[in-house]
Amino acid sequence: MVTMALVLGSAIGTLAGIFGWLALGLAPLSAFGLYLGCAFGLAALAASANLMRATVSRAAPKAVPVSPVR
């Protein structure tokens, strides 16, 4: 999941960096920073979501199956 978020962030960052450089007049180094920020930001978001999911699943009590009453 983190790898896919890094790839998606790289794609979004590439488009944002090129747009910022060509249309908004960002310096090339600033556009590269925007690219890296998008890529690593989405990867960090996915990693933190995985970490929270793992923590919650370990801490949550297991559901006890209830047999139907007849």
Side-chain angles (χ1 to χ4, degrees):
M1 185 171 166
V2 175
T3 305
M4 289 305 297
L6 185 62
V7 170
L8 179 65
S10 292
I12 293 171
T14 299
L15 295 175
I18 290 173
F19 176 75
W21 179 47
L22 295 176
L24 301 178
L26 287 178
L29 192 59
S30 296
F32 183 67
L34 179 61
Y35 160 74
L36 287 179
C38 287
F40 291 131
L42 275 175
L45 184 66
S48 64
N50 282 339
L51 182 64
M52 286 188 292
R53 186 178 332 149
T55 303
V56 168
S57 68
R58 239 183 282 141
K62 302 293 182 212
V64 178
V66 178
S67 60
V69 177
R70 293 182 189 210

